Amino acid sequence: MASVALSEAEKVYIVHGVQDLRVDGRGCEDYRCVEVETDVVSNTSGSARVKLGHTDILVGVKAEMGTPKLEKPNEGYLEFFVDCSANATPEFEGRGGDDLGTEIANTLYRIFNNKSSVDLKSLCISPREHCWILYVDVLLLECDGNLFDTICIAVKAALFNTRIPRVRVLEDEEGSKDIELSDDPYDCIRLSVENVPCIVTLCKIGYRHVVDATLQEEACSLASLLVSVTSAGVVTCMRKVGKGSLDPESIFEMMETGKRVGKVLHASLQSVLHKEESLGPKRQKVGFLG
């Protein structure tokens, strides 16, 4: 994980500030400004770029045909790959970001490993034979704290933007099947992302917990709680990170904050995504290198 070195005086300043007002003027439950842009990479089925503070994430989704898993013959599935760019922080040079990339990918698998997140049955073309596999590639371009939240927002936005070609299965008199893809770019299926959860990371700093911690605030926190929340405020999974401990009362308070903040985050994200889509071709594209 990217980190920043702080003096003891700076840590005291941040910890004391959290009790009332954070260093950048936010309250404990306030996010920084989030910039979301979809359809930024042309050769993908769906893509999104999200900036939260200076944390910058690019996600591309590629739909490819494959064979369903033996244990789930009538479902498609998602594969996650996370690349930590050396440009994000010098600590990611060489193989420095590999462990973090694996940790984030495992967290994403855990979030999406339930039937309610994405309708995987809609990705099945013919049971036991053909299905759509969605390869979700996450690229960390810049790191300024709160990686997990930003990545989840970007993944949800990219899945919302994903368009999968409509497929017809034709069967001849001998029983052999032939797959026909639609040539019409508008004849496609869309995934419902209504139940895709977002992670709300709550960092324990002093006696308080804050959402959307900066790198400086993360350096002052010994323990954080990752809460995966749906748009309805349902917690799907939790994970504690950091060397410190959390008492049961703090965990309960952090869960309640996560639910409350998560519902607002989902509502804002859905509003932005639908508003951007309603603009159609008129919307101004900033683009990946904009």
Side-chain angles (χ1 to χ4, degrees), residues 34-38 40-41 47-60 81-85 88 92 100 104 108 136-158 288:
V34 185
E35 295 176 29
V36 180
E37 187 183 6
T38 59
V40 288
V41 185
S47 59
R49 187 182 185 184
V50 173
K51 293 184 77 173
L52 179 60
H54 290 296
T55 298
D56 196 353
I57 306 292
L58 179 70
V59 174
F81 176 74
V82 181
D83 182 22
C84 302
S85 168
F92 292 162
L100 177 61
I104 294 169
L108 290 171
V136 183
D137 291 316
V138 180
L139 177 62
L140 275 66
L141 297 170
E142 198 172 346
C143 187
D144 184 33
N146 204 18
L147 274 180
F148 287 95
D149 296 31
T150 317
I151 287 170
C152 272
I153 293 169
V155 168
K156 181 166 182 171
F288 170 46

mmCIF file of all heavy atoms in Angstrom, residues 34-38 40-41 47-60 81-85 88 92 100 104 108 136-158 288:
data_model
loop_
_atom_site.group_PDB
_atom_site.id
_atom_site.type_symbol
_atom_site.label_atom_id
_atom_site.label_comp_id
_atom_site.label_asym_id
_atom_site.label_seq_id
_atom_site.Cartn_x
_atom_site.Cartn_y
_atom_site.Cartn_z
ATOM 1 N N VAL A 34 -15.648 13.578 -6.273
ATOM 2 C CA VAL A 34 -15.431 12.389 -7.112
ATOM 3 C C VAL A 34 -15.738 12.742 -8.562
ATOM 4 O O VAL A 34 -16.808 13.263 -8.871
ATOM 5 C CB VAL A 34 -16.341 11.214 -6.667
ATOM 6 C CG1 VAL A 34 -16.018 9.966 -7.476
ATOM 7 C CG2 VAL A 34 -16.199 10.946 -5.181
ATOM 8 N N GLU A 35 -14.789 12.462 -9.449
ATOM 9 C CA GLU A 35 -14.997 12.669 -10.887
ATOM 10 C C GLU A 35 -15.171 11.303 -11.550
ATOM 11 O O GLU A 35 -14.317 10.428 -11.407
ATOM 12 C CB GLU A 35 -13.797 13.384 -11.516
ATOM 13 C CG GLU A 35 -13.571 14.798 -11.011
ATOM 14 C CD GLU A 35 -12.318 15.416 -11.598
ATOM 15 O OE1 GLU A 35 -11.948 15.033 -12.744
ATOM 16 O OE2 GLU A 35 -11.696 16.258 -10.925
ATOM 17 N N VAL A 36 -16.281 11.138 -12.253
ATOM 18 C CA VAL A 36 -16.583 9.862 -12.920
ATOM 19 C C VAL A 36 -16.793 10.115 -14.408
ATOM 20 O O VAL A 36 -17.553 10.997 -14.801
ATOM 21 C CB VAL A 36 -17.851 9.202 -12.328
ATOM 22 C CG1 VAL A 36 -18.142 7.879 -13.027
ATOM 23 C CG2 VAL A 36 -17.714 8.982 -10.830
ATOM 24 N N GLU A 37 -16.115 9.329 -15.233
ATOM 25 C CA GLU A 37 -16.312 9.397 -16.685
ATOM 26 C C GLU A 37 -16.329 7.982 -17.236
ATOM 27 O O GLU A 37 -15.447 7.182 -16.928
ATOM 28 C CB GLU A 37 -15.198 10.210 -17.348
ATOM 29 C CG GLU A 37 -15.471 10.446 -18.832
ATOM 30 C CD GLU A 37 -14.346 11.188 -19.531
ATOM 31 O OE1 GLU A 37 -13.302 11.422 -18.906
ATOM 32 O OE2 GLU A 37 -14.522 11.512 -20.722
ATOM 33 N N THR A 38 -17.352 7.665 -18.023
ATOM 34 C CA THR A 38 -17.457 6.322 -18.605
ATOM 35 C C THR A 38 -17.130 6.365 -20.096
ATOM 36 O O THR A 38 -17.041 7.439 -20.705
ATOM 37 C CB THR A 38 -18.874 5.741 -18.417
ATOM 38 O OG1 THR A 38 -19.830 6.616 -19.036
ATOM 39 C CG2 THR A 38 -19.210 5.593 -16.942
ATOM 40 N N VAL A 40 -14.350 5.540 -21.807
ATOM 41 C CA VAL A 40 -13.109 6.277 -22.069
ATOM 42 C C VAL A 40 -12.087 5.467 -22.869
ATOM 43 O O VAL A 40 -11.137 6.024 -23.399
ATOM 44 C CB VAL A 40 -12.454 6.752 -20.749
ATOM 45 C CG1 VAL A 40 -13.242 7.882 -20.134
ATOM 46 C CG2 VAL A 40 -12.301 5.608 -19.753
ATOM 47 N N VAL A 41 -12.270 4.143 -22.947
ATOM 48 C CA VAL A 41 -11.340 3.292 -23.713
ATOM 49 C C VAL A 41 -12.132 2.636 -24.837
ATOM 50 O O VAL A 41 -13.091 1.898 -24.577
ATOM 51 C CB VAL A 41 -10.680 2.219 -22.811
ATOM 52 C CG1 VAL A 41 -9.631 1.431 -23.597
ATOM 53 C CG2 VAL A 41 -10.029 2.865 -21.588
ATOM 54 N N SER A 47 -16.002 0.832 -19.981
ATOM 55 C CA SER A 47 -14.845 1.375 -19.266
ATOM 56 C C SER A 47 -15.263 2.580 -18.439
ATOM 57 O O SER A 47 -16.312 3.192 -18.677
ATOM 58 C CB SER A 47 -13.734 1.778 -20.248
ATOM 59 O OG SER A 47 -14.213 2.746 -21.164
ATOM 60 N N ALA A 48 -14.416 2.913 -17.469
ATOM 61 C CA ALA A 48 -14.676 4.086 -16.630
ATOM 62 C C ALA A 48 -13.368 4.563 -16.019
ATOM 63 O O ALA A 48 -12.454 3.777 -15.769
ATOM 64 C CB ALA A 48 -15.681 3.757 -15.530
ATOM 65 N N ARG A 49 -13.308 5.857 -15.802
ATOM 66 C CA ARG A 49 -12.178 6.450 -15.087
ATOM 67 C C ARG A 49 -12.738 7.250 -13.924
ATOM 68 O O ARG A 49 -13.675 8.039 -14.092
ATOM 69 C CB ARG A 49 -11.376 7.355 -16.016
ATOM 70 C CG ARG A 49 -10.089 7.875 -15.366
ATOM 71 C CD ARG A 49 -9.339 8.819 -16.295
ATOM 72 N NE ARG A 49 -8.071 9.216 -15.705
ATOM 73 C CZ ARG A 49 -7.247 10.099 -16.260
ATOM 74 N NH1 ARG A 49 -7.562 10.666 -17.415
ATOM 75 N NH2 ARG A 49 -6.111 10.416 -15.680
ATOM 76 N N VAL A 50 -12.188 7.031 -12.748
ATOM 77 C CA VAL A 50 -12.669 7.716 -11.536
ATOM 78 C C VAL A 50 -11.496 8.373 -10.824
ATOM 79 O O VAL A 50 -10.453 7.753 -10.614
ATOM 80 C CB VAL A 50 -13.384 6.728 -10.577
ATOM 81 C CG1 VAL A 50 -13.724 7.403 -9.255
ATOM 82 C CG2 VAL A 50 -14.656 6.184 -11.220
ATOM 83 N N LYS A 51 -11.696 9.641 -10.464
ATOM 84 C CA LYS A 51 -10.698 10.361 -9.679
ATOM 85 C C LYS A 51 -11.340 10.776 -8.358
ATOM 86 O O LYS A 51 -12.405 11.387 -8.349
ATOM 87 C CB LYS A 51 -10.195 11.597 -10.431
ATOM 88 C CG LYS A 51 -9.393 11.277 -11.679
ATOM 89 C CD LYS A 51 -8.839 12.527 -12.341
ATOM 90 C CE LYS A 51 -7.624 13.045 -11.600
ATOM 91 N NZ LYS A 51 -6.977 14.176 -12.324
ATOM 92 N N LEU A 52 -10.683 10.413 -7.268
ATOM 93 C CA LEU A 52 -11.143 10.783 -5.933
ATOM 94 C C LEU A 52 -9.968 11.479 -5.251
ATOM 95 O O LEU A 52 -8.988 10.831 -4.883
ATOM 96 C CB LEU A 52 -11.560 9.532 -5.153
ATOM 97 C CG LEU A 52 -12.047 9.720 -3.720
ATOM 98 C CD1 LEU A 52 -13.273 10.608 -3.669
ATOM 99 C CD2 LEU A 52 -12.360 8.379 -3.077
ATOM 100 N N GLY A 53 -10.044 12.811 -5.140
ATOM 101 C CA GLY A 53 -8.855 13.547 -4.738
ATOM 102 C C GLY A 53 -7.828 13.382 -5.841
ATOM 103 O O GLY A 53 -8.112 13.621 -7.017
ATOM 104 N N HIS A 54 -6.637 12.906 -5.494
ATOM 105 C CA HIS A 54 -5.621 12.609 -6.504
ATOM 106 C C HIS A 54 -5.517 11.112 -6.789
ATOM 107 O O HIS A 54 -4.639 10.687 -7.541
ATOM 108 C CB HIS A 54 -4.260 13.159 -6.068
ATOM 109 C CG HIS A 54 -4.186 14.652 -6.091
ATOM 110 N ND1 HIS A 54 -4.300 15.386 -7.243
ATOM 111 C CD2 HIS A 54 -4.044 15.565 -5.089
ATOM 112 C CE1 HIS A 54 -4.217 16.681 -6.974
ATOM 113 N NE2 HIS A 54 -4.065 16.808 -5.674
ATOM 114 N N THR A 55 -6.381 10.313 -6.177
ATOM 115 C CA THR A 55 -6.414 8.882 -6.498
ATOM 116 C C THR A 55 -7.107 8.728 -7.849
ATOM 117 O O THR A 55 -8.219 9.214 -8.045
ATOM 118 C CB THR A 55 -7.165 8.085 -5.411
ATOM 119 O OG1 THR A 55 -6.472 8.220 -4.175
ATOM 120 C CG2 THR A 55 -7.246 6.621 -5.765
ATOM 121 N N ASP A 56 -6.435 8.075 -8.783
ATOM 122 C CA ASP A 56 -6.897 8.001 -10.167
ATOM 123 C C ASP A 56 -6.939 6.535 -10.608
ATOM 124 O O ASP A 56 -5.918 5.850 -10.598
ATOM 125 C CB ASP A 56 -5.931 8.803 -11.049
ATOM 126 C CG ASP A 56 -6.509 9.119 -12.419
ATOM 127 O OD1 ASP A 56 -7.600 8.602 -12.736
ATOM 128 O OD2 ASP A 56 -5.872 9.879 -13.172
ATOM 129 N N ILE A 57 -8.128 6.062 -10.979
ATOM 130 C CA ILE A 57 -8.328 4.651 -11.336
ATOM 131 C C ILE A 57 -8.967 4.547 -12.719
ATOM 132 O O ILE A 57 -9.922 5.259 -13.036
ATOM 133 C CB ILE A 57 -9.247 3.939 -10.308
ATOM 134 C CG1 ILE A 57 -8.724 4.105 -8.881
ATOM 135 C CG2 ILE A 57 -9.414 2.466 -10.674
ATOM 136 C CD1 ILE A 57 -7.428 3.401 -8.582
ATOM 137 N N LEU A 58 -8.438 3.634 -13.533
ATOM 138 C CA LEU A 58 -9.021 3.340 -14.845
ATOM 139 C C LEU A 58 -9.439 1.874 -14.868
ATOM 140 O O LEU A 58 -8.654 0.999 -14.487
ATOM 141 C CB LEU A 58 -7.998 3.605 -15.945
ATOM 142 C CG LEU A 58 -8.448 3.327 -17.387
ATOM 143 C CD1 LEU A 58 -9.471 4.355 -17.831
ATOM 144 C CD2 LEU A 58 -7.255 3.345 -18.331
ATOM 145 N N VAL A 59 -10.677 1.602 -15.288
ATOM 146 C CA VAL A 59 -11.192 0.228 -15.350
ATOM 147 C C VAL A 59 -11.726 -0.048 -16.750
ATOM 148 O O VAL A 59 -12.481 0.750 -17.309
ATOM 149 C CB VAL A 59 -12.316 -0.007 -14.312
ATOM 150 C CG1 VAL A 59 -12.933 -1.397 -14.500
ATOM 151 C CG2 VAL A 59 -11.781 0.122 -12.894
ATOM 152 N N GLY A 60 -11.307 -1.170 -17.306
ATOM 153 C CA GLY A 60 -11.827 -1.616 -18.601
ATOM 154 C C GLY A 60 -12.448 -2.997 -18.460
ATOM 155 O O GLY A 60 -11.920 -3.850 -17.749
ATOM 156 N N PHE A 81 -8.375 -8.444 -12.704
ATOM 157 C CA PHE A 81 -6.926 -8.282 -12.737
ATOM 158 C C PHE A 81 -6.608 -6.841 -12.356
ATOM 159 O O PHE A 81 -7.195 -5.902 -12.909
ATOM 160 C CB PHE A 81 -6.359 -8.586 -14.127
ATOM 161 C CG PHE A 81 -4.879 -8.338 -14.230
ATOM 162 C CD1 PHE A 81 -3.971 -9.216 -13.651
ATOM 163 C CD2 PHE A 81 -4.401 -7.212 -14.882
ATOM 164 C CE1 PHE A 81 -2.602 -8.979 -13.729
ATOM 165 C CE2 PHE A 81 -3.034 -6.973 -14.970
ATOM 166 C CZ PHE A 81 -2.131 -7.865 -14.385
ATOM 167 N N VAL A 82 -5.706 -6.659 -11.399
ATOM 168 C CA VAL A 82 -5.362 -5.318 -10.911
ATOM 169 C C VAL A 82 -3.883 -5.047 -11.171
ATOM 170 O O VAL A 82 -3.022 -5.823 -10.761
ATOM 171 C CB VAL A 82 -5.668 -5.175 -9.398
ATOM 172 C CG1 VAL A 82 -5.332 -3.773 -8.915
ATOM 173 C CG2 VAL A 82 -7.134 -5.503 -9.113
ATOM 174 N N ASP A 83 -3.610 -3.955 -11.861
ATOM 175 C CA ASP A 83 -2.232 -3.560 -12.176
ATOM 176 C C ASP A 83 -1.919 -2.248 -11.458
ATOM 177 O O ASP A 83 -2.607 -1.242 -11.663
ATOM 178 C CB ASP A 83 -2.076 -3.381 -13.692
ATOM 179 C CG ASP A 83 -0.653 -3.007 -14.081
ATOM 180 O OD1 ASP A 83 0.272 -3.284 -13.298
ATOM 181 O OD2 ASP A 83 -0.474 -2.433 -15.166
ATOM 182 N N CYS A 84 -0.915 -2.286 -10.599
ATOM 183 C CA CYS A 84 -0.495 -1.091 -9.868
ATOM 184 C C CYS A 84 0.633 -0.423 -10.637
ATOM 185 O O CYS A 84 1.773 -0.905 -10.623
ATOM 186 C CB CYS A 84 -0.034 -1.456 -8.449
ATOM 187 S SG CYS A 84 -1.307 -2.297 -7.477
ATOM 188 N N SER A 85 0.319 0.655 -11.329
ATOM 189 C CA SER A 85 1.309 1.338 -12.155
ATOM 190 C C SER A 85 2.423 1.934 -11.300
ATOM 191 O O SER A 85 2.171 2.496 -10.231
ATOM 192 C CB SER A 85 0.625 2.450 -12.962
ATOM 193 O OG SER A 85 1.576 3.290 -13.562
ATOM 194 N N ALA A 88 2.071 5.486 -10.148
ATOM 195 C CA ALA A 88 1.202 5.834 -9.022
ATOM 196 C C ALA A 88 2.024 6.203 -7.787
ATOM 197 O O ALA A 88 1.717 7.161 -7.087
ATOM 198 C CB ALA A 88 0.255 4.677 -8.709
ATOM 199 N N PHE A 92 5.633 1.039 -6.087
ATOM 200 C CA PHE A 92 5.096 0.018 -6.989
ATOM 201 C C PHE A 92 6.096 -0.375 -8.079
ATOM 202 O O PHE A 92 5.763 -1.163 -8.961
ATOM 203 C CB PHE A 92 3.805 0.509 -7.655
ATOM 204 C CG PHE A 92 2.644 0.654 -6.697
ATOM 205 C CD1 PHE A 92 1.536 1.418 -7.049
ATOM 206 C CD2 PHE A 92 2.664 0.043 -5.463
ATOM 207 C CE1 PHE A 92 0.463 1.563 -6.181
ATOM 208 C CE2 PHE A 92 1.598 0.182 -4.579
ATOM 209 C CZ PHE A 92 0.502 0.944 -4.941
ATOM 210 N N LEU A 100 -0.253 -5.890 -3.489
ATOM 211 C CA LEU A 100 -1.437 -5.039 -3.349
ATOM 212 C C LEU A 100 -2.454 -5.363 -4.434
ATOM 213 O O LEU A 100 -3.660 -5.442 -4.166
ATOM 214 C CB LEU A 100 -1.043 -3.562 -3.413
ATOM 215 C CG LEU A 100 -2.203 -2.559 -3.362
ATOM 216 C CD1 LEU A 100 -2.979 -2.689 -2.054
ATOM 217 C CD2 LEU A 100 -1.703 -1.131 -3.538
ATOM 218 N N ILE A 104 -6.286 -6.559 -3.725
ATOM 219 C CA ILE A 104 -7.473 -5.861 -4.239
ATOM 220 C C ILE A 104 -8.326 -6.804 -5.078
ATOM 221 O O ILE A 104 -9.555 -6.829 -4.959
ATOM 222 C CB ILE A 104 -7.047 -4.624 -5.066
ATOM 223 C CG1 ILE A 104 -6.377 -3.582 -4.162
ATOM 224 C CG2 ILE A 104 -8.258 -4.009 -5.763
ATOM 225 C CD1 ILE A 104 -5.700 -2.447 -4.917
ATOM 226 N N LEU A 108 -12.237 -7.938 -4.528
ATOM 227 C CA LEU A 108 -13.289 -7.806 -5.543
ATOM 228 C C LEU A 108 -13.995 -9.142 -5.782
ATOM 229 O O LEU A 108 -15.222 -9.191 -5.916
ATOM 230 C CB LEU A 108 -12.695 -7.274 -6.849
ATOM 231 C CG LEU A 108 -12.235 -5.813 -6.832
ATOM 232 C CD1 LEU A 108 -11.460 -5.476 -8.099
ATOM 233 C CD2 LEU A 108 -13.430 -4.871 -6.687
ATOM 234 N N VAL A 136 -12.366 -7.972 -16.050
ATOM 235 C CA VAL A 136 -12.353 -6.615 -15.485
ATOM 236 C C VAL A 136 -10.907 -6.253 -15.132
ATOM 237 O O VAL A 136 -10.317 -6.822 -14.215
ATOM 238 C CB VAL A 136 -13.248 -6.528 -14.225
ATOM 239 C CG1 VAL A 136 -13.279 -5.106 -13.687
ATOM 240 C CG2 VAL A 136 -14.666 -7.020 -14.535
ATOM 241 N N ASP A 137 -10.336 -5.336 -15.899
ATOM 242 C CA ASP A 137 -8.951 -4.905 -15.684
ATOM 243 C C ASP A 137 -8.945 -3.559 -14.964
ATOM 244 O O ASP A 137 -9.540 -2.584 -15.455
ATOM 245 C CB ASP A 137 -8.207 -4.775 -17.016
ATOM 246 C CG ASP A 137 -7.983 -6.124 -17.667
ATOM 247 O OD1 ASP A 137 -7.604 -7.066 -16.954
ATOM 248 O OD2 ASP A 137 -8.198 -6.251 -18.888
ATOM 249 N N VAL A 138 -8.270 -3.516 -13.828
ATOM 250 C CA VAL A 138 -8.180 -2.295 -13.016
ATOM 251 C C VAL A 138 -6.743 -1.776 -13.076
ATOM 252 O O VAL A 138 -5.800 -2.525 -12.816
ATOM 253 C CB VAL A 138 -8.569 -2.576 -11.545
ATOM 254 C CG1 VAL A 138 -8.466 -1.311 -10.704
ATOM 255 C CG2 VAL A 138 -9.979 -3.161 -11.460
ATOM 256 N N LEU A 139 -6.579 -0.500 -13.417
ATOM 257 C CA LEU A 139 -5.253 0.110 -13.476
ATOM 258 C C LEU A 139 -5.180 1.274 -12.504
ATOM 259 O O LEU A 139 -5.983 2.214 -12.582
ATOM 260 C CB LEU A 139 -4.951 0.594 -14.904
ATOM 261 C CG LEU A 139 -3.621 1.328 -15.132
ATOM 262 C CD1 LEU A 139 -2.430 0.422 -14.811
ATOM 263 C CD2 LEU A 139 -3.524 1.854 -16.558
ATOM 264 N N LEU A 140 -4.241 1.210 -11.565
ATOM 265 C CA LEU A 140 -4.014 2.297 -10.617
ATOM 266 C C LEU A 140 -3.056 3.295 -11.252
ATOM 267 O O LEU A 140 -1.894 2.988 -11.470
ATOM 268 C CB LEU A 140 -3.391 1.773 -9.308
ATOM 269 C CG LEU A 140 -4.322 1.222 -8.229
ATOM 270 C CD1 LEU A 140 -5.015 -0.037 -8.708
ATOM 271 C CD2 LEU A 140 -3.534 0.924 -6.965
ATOM 272 N N LEU A 141 -3.563 4.476 -11.565
ATOM 273 C CA LEU A 141 -2.740 5.488 -12.220
ATOM 274 C C LEU A 141 -2.063 6.411 -11.200
ATOM 275 O O LEU A 141 -0.940 6.854 -11.406
ATOM 276 C CB LEU A 141 -3.589 6.326 -13.180
ATOM 277 C CG LEU A 141 -4.219 5.567 -14.348
ATOM 278 C CD1 LEU A 141 -5.228 6.442 -15.065
ATOM 279 C CD2 LEU A 141 -3.158 5.087 -15.312
ATOM 280 N N GLU A 142 -2.782 6.708 -10.126
ATOM 281 C CA GLU A 142 -2.233 7.581 -9.085
ATOM 282 C C GLU A 142 -2.871 7.214 -7.754
ATOM 283 O O GLU A 142 -4.043 6.818 -7.709
ATOM 284 C CB GLU A 142 -2.515 9.055 -9.431
ATOM 285 C CG GLU A 142 -1.643 10.032 -8.678
ATOM 286 C CD GLU A 142 -1.802 11.467 -9.178
ATOM 287 O OE1 GLU A 142 -2.372 11.673 -10.268
ATOM 288 O OE2 GLU A 142 -1.349 12.374 -8.462
ATOM 289 N N CYS A 143 -2.101 7.346 -6.688
ATOM 290 C CA CYS A 143 -2.578 6.895 -5.381
ATOM 291 C C CYS A 143 -2.512 8.026 -4.362
ATOM 292 O O CYS A 143 -1.442 8.575 -4.107
ATOM 293 C CB CYS A 143 -1.717 5.712 -4.922
ATOM 294 S SG CYS A 143 -2.330 4.949 -3.434
ATOM 295 N N ASP A 144 -3.684 8.380 -3.805
ATOM 296 C CA ASP A 144 -3.744 9.431 -2.789
ATOM 297 C C ASP A 144 -4.691 9.021 -1.667
ATOM 298 O O ASP A 144 -5.463 9.812 -1.150
ATOM 299 C CB ASP A 144 -4.201 10.750 -3.434
ATOM 300 C CG ASP A 144 -4.193 11.915 -2.452
ATOM 301 O OD1 ASP A 144 -3.329 11.937 -1.562
ATOM 302 O OD2 ASP A 144 -5.058 12.804 -2.580
ATOM 303 N N GLY A 145 -4.647 7.733 -1.317
ATOM 304 C CA GLY A 145 -5.498 7.237 -0.239
ATOM 305 C C GLY A 145 -6.841 6.728 -0.721
ATOM 306 O O GLY A 145 -7.300 7.051 -1.822
ATOM 307 N N ASN A 146 -7.464 5.890 0.088
ATOM 308 C CA ASN A 146 -8.807 5.364 -0.151
ATOM 309 C C ASN A 146 -8.937 4.618 -1.482
ATOM 310 O O ASN A 146 -9.853 4.863 -2.267
ATOM 311 C CB ASN A 146 -9.843 6.496 -0.079
ATOM 312 C CG ASN A 146 -11.226 5.980 0.272
ATOM 313 O OD1 ASN A 146 -11.374 4.867 0.774
ATOM 314 N ND2 ASN A 146 -12.245 6.764 0.010
ATOM 315 N N LEU A 147 -8.031 3.687 -1.700
ATOM 316 C CA LEU A 147 -8.003 2.923 -2.956
ATOM 317 C C LEU A 147 -9.237 2.065 -3.156
ATOM 318 O O LEU A 147 -9.832 2.048 -4.236
ATOM 319 C CB LEU A 147 -6.762 2.024 -2.988
ATOM 320 C CG LEU A 147 -5.452 2.627 -3.496
ATOM 321 C CD1 LEU A 147 -4.360 1.574 -3.439
ATOM 322 C CD2 LEU A 147 -5.612 3.133 -4.917
ATOM 323 N N PHE A 148 -9.626 1.314 -2.123
ATOM 324 C CA PHE A 148 -10.706 0.332 -2.282
ATOM 325 C C PHE A 148 -12.029 0.992 -2.680
ATOM 326 O O PHE A 148 -12.738 0.486 -3.561
ATOM 327 C CB PHE A 148 -10.893 -0.479 -0.990
ATOM 328 C CG PHE A 148 -9.793 -1.482 -0.741
ATOM 329 C CD1 PHE A 148 -8.706 -1.169 0.065
ATOM 330 C CD2 PHE A 148 -9.824 -2.737 -1.332
ATOM 331 C CE1 PHE A 148 -7.689 -2.086 0.283
ATOM 332 C CE2 PHE A 148 -8.812 -3.664 -1.124
ATOM 333 C CZ PHE A 148 -7.737 -3.334 -0.312
ATOM 334 N N ASP A 149 -12.358 2.117 -2.052
ATOM 335 C CA ASP A 149 -13.607 2.808 -2.388
ATOM 336 C C ASP A 149 -13.587 3.266 -3.847
ATOM 337 O O ASP A 149 -14.549 3.071 -4.591
ATOM 338 C CB ASP A 149 -13.805 4.034 -1.489
ATOM 339 C CG ASP A 149 -13.968 3.678 -0.023
ATOM 340 O OD1 ASP A 149 -13.378 2.671 0.412
ATOM 341 O OD2 ASP A 149 -14.670 4.400 0.703
ATOM 342 N N THR A 150 -12.460 3.888 -4.244
ATOM 343 C CA THR A 150 -12.345 4.427 -5.605
ATOM 344 C C THR A 150 -12.441 3.315 -6.640
ATOM 345 O O THR A 150 -13.106 3.471 -7.669
ATOM 346 C CB THR A 150 -11.009 5.177 -5.767
ATOM 347 O OG1 THR A 150 -10.772 5.986 -4.610
ATOM 348 C CG2 THR A 150 -11.033 6.064 -6.990
ATOM 349 N N ILE A 151 -11.781 2.192 -6.371
ATOM 350 C CA ILE A 151 -11.806 1.068 -7.318
ATOM 351 C C ILE A 151 -13.219 0.504 -7.456
ATOM 352 O O ILE A 151 -13.680 0.212 -8.575
ATOM 353 C CB ILE A 151 -10.810 -0.025 -6.872
ATOM 354 C CG1 ILE A 151 -9.375 0.453 -7.125
ATOM 355 C CG2 ILE A 151 -11.064 -1.348 -7.606
ATOM 356 C CD1 ILE A 151 -8.308 -0.414 -6.512
ATOM 357 N N CYS A 152 -13.935 0.371 -6.345
ATOM 358 C CA CYS A 152 -15.306 -0.156 -6.408
ATOM 359 C C CYS A 152 -16.233 0.770 -7.195
ATOM 360 O O CYS A 152 -17.078 0.305 -7.970
ATOM 361 C CB CYS A 152 -15.852 -0.362 -4.996
ATOM 362 S SG CYS A 152 -15.455 -1.984 -4.348
ATOM 363 N N ILE A 153 -16.074 2.078 -7.005
ATOM 364 C CA ILE A 153 -16.873 3.045 -7.771
ATOM 365 C C ILE A 153 -16.569 2.889 -9.262
ATOM 366 O O ILE A 153 -17.474 2.864 -10.099
ATOM 367 C CB ILE A 153 -16.581 4.491 -7.301
ATOM 368 C CG1 ILE A 153 -17.080 4.705 -5.866
ATOM 369 C CG2 ILE A 153 -17.234 5.509 -8.237
ATOM 370 C CD1 ILE A 153 -16.603 6.009 -5.240
ATOM 371 N N ALA A 154 -15.283 2.762 -9.590
ATOM 372 C CA ALA A 154 -14.876 2.638 -10.999
ATOM 373 C C ALA A 154 -15.370 1.335 -11.620
ATOM 374 O O ALA A 154 -15.812 1.320 -12.776
ATOM 375 C CB ALA A 154 -13.351 2.733 -11.103
ATOM 376 N N VAL A 155 -15.313 0.228 -10.868
ATOM 377 C CA VAL A 155 -15.796 -1.067 -11.370
ATOM 378 C C VAL A 155 -17.300 -1.009 -11.629
ATOM 379 O O VAL A 155 -17.788 -1.469 -12.672
ATOM 380 C CB VAL A 155 -15.443 -2.207 -10.383
ATOM 381 C CG1 VAL A 155 -16.186 -3.494 -10.759
ATOM 382 C CG2 VAL A 155 -13.948 -2.467 -10.367
ATOM 383 N N LYS A 156 -18.035 -0.413 -10.697
ATOM 384 C CA LYS A 156 -19.488 -0.315 -10.870
ATOM 385 C C LYS A 156 -19.831 0.554 -12.084
ATOM 386 O O LYS A 156 -20.716 0.207 -12.879
ATOM 387 C CB LYS A 156 -20.134 0.262 -9.607
ATOM 388 C CG LYS A 156 -21.652 0.361 -9.699
ATOM 389 C CD LYS A 156 -22.318 0.598 -8.366
ATOM 390 C CE LYS A 156 -23.827 0.634 -8.511
ATOM 391 N NZ LYS A 156 -24.546 0.652 -7.232
ATOM 392 N N ALA A 157 -19.113 1.659 -12.251
ATOM 393 C CA ALA A 157 -19.351 2.548 -13.395
ATOM 394 C C ALA A 157 -19.018 1.849 -14.713
ATOM 395 O O ALA A 157 -19.739 1.989 -15.710
ATOM 396 C CB ALA A 157 -18.526 3.826 -13.243
ATOM 397 N N ALA A 158 -17.923 1.077 -14.730
ATOM 398 C CA ALA A 158 -17.526 0.363 -15.949
ATOM 399 C C ALA A 158 -18.531 -0.730 -16.301
ATOM 400 O O ALA A 158 -18.845 -0.937 -17.481
ATOM 401 C CB ALA A 158 -16.130 -0.233 -15.775
ATOM 402 N N PHE A 288 -9.353 9.407 -21.813
ATOM 403 C CA PHE A 288 -8.359 8.811 -20.929
ATOM 404 C C PHE A 288 -7.182 9.750 -20.671
ATOM 405 O O PHE A 288 -6.671 9.874 -19.575
ATOM 406 C CB PHE A 288 -7.872 7.488 -21.554
ATOM 407 C CG PHE A 288 -6.684 6.894 -20.884
ATOM 408 C CD1 PHE A 288 -6.617 6.796 -19.506
ATOM 409 C CD2 PHE A 288 -5.617 6.421 -21.622
ATOM 410 C CE1 PHE A 288 -5.519 6.235 -18.875
ATOM 411 C CE2 PHE A 288 -4.514 5.854 -21.014
ATOM 412 C CZ PHE A 288 -4.474 5.776 -19.619
#
